[in-house]
Amino acid sequence: MTMIMPTSFLLPEDLLALALKITAGTTATITVVNLCILFFFLQKNKPADADDNDNDDNAKTHHHHHHHHHRQEALDASHQLTNGLINFGLGVYGTVICVAAHYNNPSEPILVASFSHYQDDILNHIIGYATLHHISFAAMQVGYNLWNLPYGYFLVNEPPAMIAHHIMVIITTSLSAYSNFGNRIHVPFFLGMYEVSTVPLAIMNYLKVKGHREWVEQSSVLRAVRDISQLSFAVLFLGIRIVLGTPHIYCIASASFHAAFTKMDNVDADVLPLVGRMWIAFVFMGHIGLAMLQYYWAFLIVKGLAKMFMPSSKSKKEEEKKKN
């Protein structure tokens, strides 16, 4: 790809306006889709309204709790289903672009990167690739996580690790969406193909929703779906995010460090001002934080696989007791 040196820190006005529109449109679209899904789950198995003539306070309290649990189950289910749909779309989109780019030019680190790629062409990992595909990936991810962050924090009580993940993704992808120094060569992989592994995770979490656990226990088909989802999530996560992803992580973190903390002789100070370097520095720390989360989750996955395929002697004894 022809290298064109940027003349400003932010994208040109037309591309910047397009990226902001994609971000806003993504957030609005996901919100509408989620509300439709939520409405479906709220109407499904809706509890009957309380009898106003019923003077039994215990009955009214029980009815109120029943409504609350039904509403929370609907929020959880709609959240997981929405995540699954969005991740599937981004994952397929990113995979197609990565595979096509690798087929057309195997030496370009769109799909398969190596630690030497960064040393071979540092600037290529920092600037350029201001195409519709690359900018739209980043802008959509910003919009997606702007929806997911408040929903996860206020409505479904996501764990702190996931909240931190949303925040770091917004910080890192905003640079790719709106700046000329956006490390966009890695965007189709990180912001697209990466999401393939989260599709089976969304299925697993959907089946774990409190109201759905009974379905799983009563259906051998759903139990098989759960087990296949667990195994496919582990394989896809470790294969894509760890095996393929580690060289990408090294390249993008190194590029961010280079742009933020070293003198770039080919770039004027007006094009990369102090504010821009500070933004890139935050992105560098975000990449490090995201990498640590990936390897922490990989550790938990490997630990879970070990328990699945090599059960401890204690669990074996418990299984024997149940059989007896």
Side-chain angles (χ1 to χ4, degrees):
M1 190 170 187
T2 304
M3 180 67 66
I4 300 175
M5 295 304 296
T7 58
S8 63
F9 179 72
L10 294 177
L11 289 172
E13 289 185 5
D14 56 338
L15 289 177
L16 183 59
L18 175 62
L20 290 170
K21 288 177 182 178
I22 292 174
T23 298
T26 300
T27 304
T29 302
I30 295 175
T31 301
V32 172
V33 170
N34 176 258
L35 287 174
C36 293
I37 297 172
L38 178 61
F39 179 78
F40 168 78
F41 281 113
L42 286 173
Q43 295 303 310
K44 185 180 179 182
N45 300 324
K46 182 180 179 181
D49 293 331
D51 187 356
D52 293 335
N53 295 322
D54 193 346
N55 295 321
D56 190 344
D57 291 337
N58 289 332
K60 289 183 177 180
T61 301
H62 175 76
H63 185 81
H64 172 75
H65 285 310
H66 190 43
H67 265 284
H68 173 75
H69 288 310
H70 175 69
R71 184 171 63 253
Q72 191 59 52
E73 288 172 10
L75 286 168
D76 292 338
S78 64
H79 182 239
Q80 296 304 332
L81 190 54
T82 303
N83 279 332
L85 291 172
I86 301 303
N87 291 330
F88 178 78
L90 289 171
V92 170
Y93 185 22
T95 301
V96 169
I97 290 179
C98 287
V99 172
H102 183 73
Y103 178 80
N104 292 327
N105 187 4
S107 64
E108 198 172 33
I110 303 295
L111 174 62
V112 180
S114 69
F115 297 105
S116 63
H117 272 131
Y118 169 72
Q119 299 298 336
D120 294 340
D121 192 354
I122 294 174
L123 280 179
N124 204 33
H125 291 270
I126 300 173
I127 64 177
Y129 289 85
T131 68
L132 178 61
H133 286 309
H134 293 75
I135 292 173
S136 62
F137 263 121
M140 284 189 291
Q141 278 284 3
V142 175
Y144 172 37
N145 282 276
L146 284 175
W147 168 82
N148 221 348
L149 176 60
Y151 199 108
Y153 183 80
F154 292 108
L155 299 179
V156 295
N157 194 27
E158 280 192 315
M162 282 306 302
I163 299 301
H165 177 266
H166 297 322
I167 294 172
M168 285 186 283
V169 169
I170 292 171
I171 292 173
T172 55
T173 56
S174 61
L175 186 74
S176 299
Y178 312 126
S179 169
N180 277 312
F181 298 80
N183 313 124
R184 270 184 291 273
I185 191 172
H186 301 283
V187 157
F189 180 82
F190 272 127
L191 305 184
M193 191 172 176
Y194 235 47
E195 300 297 351
V196 171
S197 66
T198 59
V199 175
L201 177 63
I203 295 173
M204 290 161 50
N205 290 335
Y206 178 78
L207 295 176
K208 287 179 182 177
V209 173
K210 188 174 181 181
H212 300 168
R213 294 171 191 168
E214 297 176 359
W215 304 351
V216 177
E217 296 303 322
Q218 295 171 4
S219 171
S220 59
V221 174
L222 288 179
R223 287 197 298 274
V225 170
R226 178 196 60 191
D227 295 340
I228 292 171
S229 297
Q230 288 177 336
L231 186 59
S232 60
F233 167 66
V235 171
L236 289 171
F237 188 99
L238 296 175
I240 295 175
R241 298 197 176 208
I242 305 302
V243 176
L244 285 176
T246 294
H248 281 277
I249 291 171
Y250 170 80
C251 287
I252 199 169
S254 299
S256 299
F257 180 88
H258 181 82
F261 301 111
T262 68
K263 183 180 179 181
M264 296 181 66
D265 296 330
N266 297 328
V267 180
D268 294 335
D270 293 339
V271 177
L272 184 56
L274 178 61
V275 174
R277 288 183 182 271
M278 290 175 64
W279 188 358
I280 297 174
F282 276 113
V283 169
F284 167 73
M285 291 186 284
H287 285 308
I288 298 300
L290 285 171
M292 291 174 65
L293 275 177
Q294 302 307 314
Y295 293 118
Y296 170 69
W297 286 332
F299 167 75
L300 295 180
I301 290 170
V302 172
K303 188 177 178 182
L305 288 174
K307 286 184 178 180
M308 184 184 299
F309 293 106
M310 294 182 293
S312 63
S313 57
K314 183 178 179 181
S315 60
K316 287 180 180 179
K317 289 179 181 179
E318 289 178 353
E319 288 182 4
E320 290 176 359
K321 286 181 180 180
K322 290 181 179 177
K323 290 179 180 179
N324 297 328

